[in-house]
Amino acid sequence: MSTTAPAPASGKTPVDFWFDPLCPWAWMTSRWVLEVAKVRDIEVRWHVMSLAVLNEDRLDELSEDYREMLSTRAWKPVRVVTAAWQKHGDSVLGPLYTALGTRFHNNDEGATLEAIAGALADAGLPAELIDYAEQDDFEFDAELRASHKEGIDKVGQEVGTPVIAVPGPDGEQIAFFGPVVTPAPQGEDAARLWDGTLAVASVPGFYEIKRTRTKGPDFSNL
């Protein structure tokens, strides 16, 4: 069953956003899309995806440091987010992601159990959800993988997080990896990037614009 909700009853432009809370690039893109919501009539719908799931069949191709990150840190926050979503509904995803990302990235606490527990408290969610962080036989693994698959199926296997899906020609959803930005654009800069995203989504056959990143994640304006 699809995890993407129907078009908003509000009449706003829907933006479906798949994230792994560990990813700093997804975090900045998410802050951009929330900035867009202040200046354009959009509604963001949050979905989980997983860097651990994305890379589990290609670990041999990854650096030792990245493999270590995936095995020791990547599963814990996304399991907690998925459990919160399954037990408390779609509406908790945005607030919990904001709480986690603020602690992980803006406050430089890292994806520790303490930071996850603090984020649950910040989002007003039950403390016992932290128990899912280290649940190897994860109760909601099928739901996590289904949400991940939906996002990846829209955009292809050669990408990571974030994935966003926006309306394209004739109302068809068009998905992209990114946009990857540092720092997150604000105000009218955010609006112009959004307008450009809709513009490229409107072009049949458009696939990619890319350049090599020369800067790391910059959270200084968040």
Side-chain angles (χ1 to χ4, degrees):
M1 183 178 65
S2 171
T3 57
T4 304
S10 63
K12 295 183 177 182
T13 301
V15 186
D16 288 289
F17 192 111
W18 281 262
F19 68 92
D20 184 317
L22 193 64
C23 178
W25 299 103
W27 174 244
M28 285 186 293
T29 305
S30 74
R31 299 311 93 181
W32 160 71
V33 82
L34 288 179
E35 187 73 12
V36 172
K38 300 176 184 177
V39 292
R40 294 291 186 268
D41 202 20
I42 70 169
E43 181 175 323
V44 186
R45 305 184 299 198
W46 304 102
H47 310 272
V48 290
M49 64 181 295
S50 168
L51 289 171
V53 171
L54 181 69
N55 290 288
E56 62 185 353
D57 293 330
R58 54 187 180 192
L59 293 176
D60 291 345
E61 305 170 18
L62 305 175
S63 69
E64 184 176 347
D65 287 347
Y66 200 77
R67 289 198 304 271
E68 189 274 338
M69 181 276 292
L70 292 175
S71 64
T72 61
R73 288 183 285 147
W75 285 109
K76 295 174 184 178
V78 78
R79 283 173 173 161
V80 171
V81 171
T82 303
W85 164 45
Q86 289 299 300
K87 296 176 77 72
H88 299 281
D90 293 346
S91 64
V92 306
L93 284 171
L96 181 55
Y97 182 28
T98 290
L100 288 165
T102 299
R103 286 178 174 269
F104 290 0
H105 307 301
N106 295 8
N107 298 348
D108 200 24
E109 295 179 32
T112 63
L113 289 176
E114 292 78 12
I116 297 170
L120 288 170
D122 295 341
L125 288 164
E128 58 265 25
L129 286 168
I130 194 67
D131 295 342
Y132 290 96
E134 297 184 302
Q135 189 182 78
D136 290 334
D137 186 16
F138 181 45
E139 179 179 347
F140 302 111
D141 187 67
E143 289 81 2
L144 168 58
R145 290 175 183 275
S147 180
H148 174 91
K149 182 178 186 298
E150 184 181 25
I152 286 296
D153 282 353
K154 289 179 181 296
V155 76
Q157 294 292 329
E158 297 82 21
V159 302
T161 172
V163 168
I164 66 168
V166 301
D170 301 320
E172 175 191 3
Q173 245 191 354
I174 302 295
F176 298 110
F177 163 58
V180 176
V181 289
T182 182
Q186 297 182 338
E188 281 305 308
D189 288 339
R192 280 192 294 272
L193 179 56
W194 168 252
D195 294 342
T197 300
L198 289 185
V200 296
S202 72
V203 178
F206 173 83
Y207 290 100
E208 184 174 356
I209 294 176
K210 188 172 183 178
R211 64 175 177 160
T212 299
R213 291 196 301 265
T214 58
K215 296 181 180 180
D218 179 356
F219 310 122
S220 61
N221 67 344
L222 299 179

